[in-house]
Amino acid sequence: MRQSAVSQIGGRMATPSRGSPAIQRLRLRTRLRQLRTAAHLTQRQVAERMEWSPSKLLRIEAGEVGISVNDLRPLLALFGVGDDATVEELLNLARGSRKMPFTEYRDIYDKDFLGFLAMESAAFVTRSFQPLVMPGLLQTEEYAMAIIRAYTPARFSEPQRQRMLEARMLRQEALERDEAEAYFILDESVIRRQVGGPGVMKGQLRRLAELAAHPRRDIMIFPFSRGAHSASQGPFTLFEFEEEEMPPFVYLENLRGTATVSTETENFVAYLELFWGLEERAIKGEQIPRVLLQIAEHLETQPHDFHIDPPNGD
C-alpha cells in the first residue's frame, strides 16, 4: 500500500517556500481571520471601524491582495494584539507578502490563474497529469508560442502574446529549485501531436528527454496501448507544501484557464490516488529519454492527416 503524500514528504529538512510571498500571504490571512474571530468582530464591523470598504477586508482575508504595514498596525490594535513579538511577526509577514509573483501580468491573466502561478512557484511537490498538451513548466519557447497562438482569443494583441510567453518561461524557474520535486504524467497524445510542426516538436521532445534525466523531475508517459482511464476527462495538477498550515491544492484546467477545485483533504486524496493509479500503469524510468528521442528522430518532415480512401465507384 502506497504511503500518504504527507508521510512521503514528512521529515525532510528543505524549506524552499518559507520566503515565498504566496506562503506568507496565506499565513497572514489565516492569522488575521483567527484574530478577528477571537475578537468577536464581524467583517462588516471591522470594515466600519477601520473606515475601509467591505470589499477591501474581504480581499485581504481571501488573500487576493496584501495589506500594508500602515494598515496592519491599527488593525492589530483593533483586534487587541499588543504583544510586541506577535505584532512584529505579523508585520514581517505583511512585508514579505506584498510582492506576489507574476502580478505584473494581471492585465492578461485573471486572479484564478495568478493564484495558480503563485502556488506553482511555492510548491514543494508538484504532480501534473496532461492528456492533450505539454505542461507549461516543460514547454520550449517555440512550443509555448504555438500553444499561446492556438489558445488565446483574437482580442489579444501580439505584444500581449509575447508577454504570455515571457510569463511562461519565468514559470519554469520553479523547476530550478533543487529541493522541489515534480512528477508529470503525459498521455501519449501529448508527445505525438505535432504542435508548431515537426521542427518545433522535435525540439520539444529533445528538451523533454533532457528534463527526464533529472533525479527530481519524474516524467512518465501513459501509452495508447493502456486503453481508457479514469482521468480521460481532463488535466489536473496537485500542489503540496512543507508548511503545516498550508493545505494541499487541487487544480483543474478549463477553457478560461485554471480553477481551484478544492483544498479539502478528501478531494486531494481522491486526485492523488487517481494520479498514483495512472503512475502504476505508465511508462517511466530510464527508458523515457530513449523513447522521446526515438519519437523525435522519426517525426515526419511534414505533418500529414489520415488518408481516407474514396467510396467504391468514385
Side-chain angles (χ1 to χ4, degrees):
M1 182 66 178
R2 191 185 284 269
Q3 288 179 288
S4 70
V6 174
S7 63
Q8 281 187 328
I9 67 173
R12 291 178 179 152
M13 298 302 294
T15 55
S17 57
R18 292 288 180 187
S20 162
I23 299 297
Q24 294 190 60
R25 183 172 293 184
L26 179 73
R27 186 179 293 124
L28 179 60
R29 83 180 191 191
T30 301
R31 293 289 299 279
L32 291 179
R33 285 176 179 172
Q34 292 171 344
L35 291 170
R36 178 176 59 78
T37 301
H40 305 290
L41 293 169
T42 66
Q43 291 175 323
R44 181 175 179 177
Q45 289 171 329
V46 171
E48 289 175 349
R49 297 186 190 184
M50 292 293 295
E51 297 184 351
W52 291 348
S53 67
S55 64
K56 178 175 180 177
L57 181 62
L58 289 172
R59 293 176 68 193
I60 289 172
E61 289 199 355
E64 294 179 12
V65 298
I67 181 171
S68 70
V69 169
N70 290 337
D71 278 343
L72 183 56
R73 288 185 186 276
L75 182 64
L76 294 178
L78 176 62
F79 293 159
V81 180
D83 177 69
D84 290 343
T86 301
V87 170
E88 189 59 29
E89 176 193 356
L90 295 172
L91 291 177
N92 285 333
L93 288 178
R95 295 183 185 107
S97 66
R98 291 290 291 170
K99 180 59 177 176
M100 289 285 282
F102 301 99
T103 52
E104 63 268 37
Y105 299 99
R106 283 179 293 187
D107 59 319
I108 54 177
Y109 294 132
D110 62 25
K111 66 180 182 66
D112 287 337
F113 191 64
L114 289 174
F116 171 84
L117 297 181
M119 295 300 102
E120 182 180 73
S121 69
F124 181 55
V125 180
T126 298
R127 293 180 176 87
S128 175
F129 168 70
Q130 272 288 351
L132 298 174
V133 300
M134 202 69 62
L137 289 175
L138 306 179
Q139 294 175 7
T140 63
E141 286 193 26
E142 295 78 11
Y143 185 102
M145 181 51 79
I147 289 295
I148 289 168
R149 292 190 191 285
Y151 277 29
T152 54
R155 69 175 183 274
F156 285 92
S157 66
E158 186 60 23
Q160 286 178 313
R161 291 191 175 99
Q162 289 295 331
R163 293 185 66 234
M164 290 178 181
L165 177 63
E166 177 184 276
R168 189 158 302 189
M169 294 301 102
L170 285 173
R171 287 171 59 187
Q172 296 183 4
E173 292 181 0
L175 290 181
E176 297 175 7
R177 294 181 291 123
D178 290 336
E179 304 90 344
E181 298 183 6
Y183 303 85
F184 302 92
I185 300 178
L186 313 179
D187 189 85
E188 186 176 346
S189 63
V190 174
I191 62 173
R192 296 287 187 182
R193 189 180 304 279
Q194 295 188 22
V195 173
V200 170
M201 199 62 200
K202 283 185 179 181
Q204 176 63 73
L205 292 175
R206 288 167 182 159
R207 170 61 175 158
L208 199 61
E210 293 175 4
L211 291 169
H214 194 289
R216 289 182 179 267
R217 312 291 178 260
D218 202 346
I219 296 172
M220 297 162 273
I221 299 170
F222 196 92
F224 292 145
S225 61
R226 298 291 193 266
H229 56 81
S230 53
S232 298
Q233 296 183 18
F236 63 90
T237 302
L238 308 175
F239 293 137
E240 292 180 56
F241 309 88
E242 276 208 305
E243 292 75 11
E244 292 183 1
E245 70 270 33
M246 188 71 170
F249 276 68
V250 181
Y251 283 87
L252 291 185
E253 294 185 24
N254 55 39
L255 291 176
R256 296 184 303 155
T258 308
T260 306
V261 175
S262 180
T263 58
E264 295 296 326
T265 301
E266 60 268 24
N267 289 328
F268 176 82
V269 170
Y271 275 96
L272 183 62
E273 294 288 353
L274 177 58
F275 189 91
W276 281 339
L278 294 170
E279 187 178 43
E280 290 175 357
R281 301 172 62 195
I283 298 172
K284 49 188 168 293
E286 296 180 356
Q287 57 188 318
I288 289 295
R290 183 173 66 252
V291 168
L292 294 169
L293 293 175
Q294 185 178 39
I295 294 174
E297 182 66 25
H298 292 88
L299 280 176
E300 298 289 341
T301 304
Q302 294 293 330
H304 58 83
D305 293 326
F306 294 106
H307 175 71
I308 307 296
D309 292 327
N312 292 335
D314 289 355

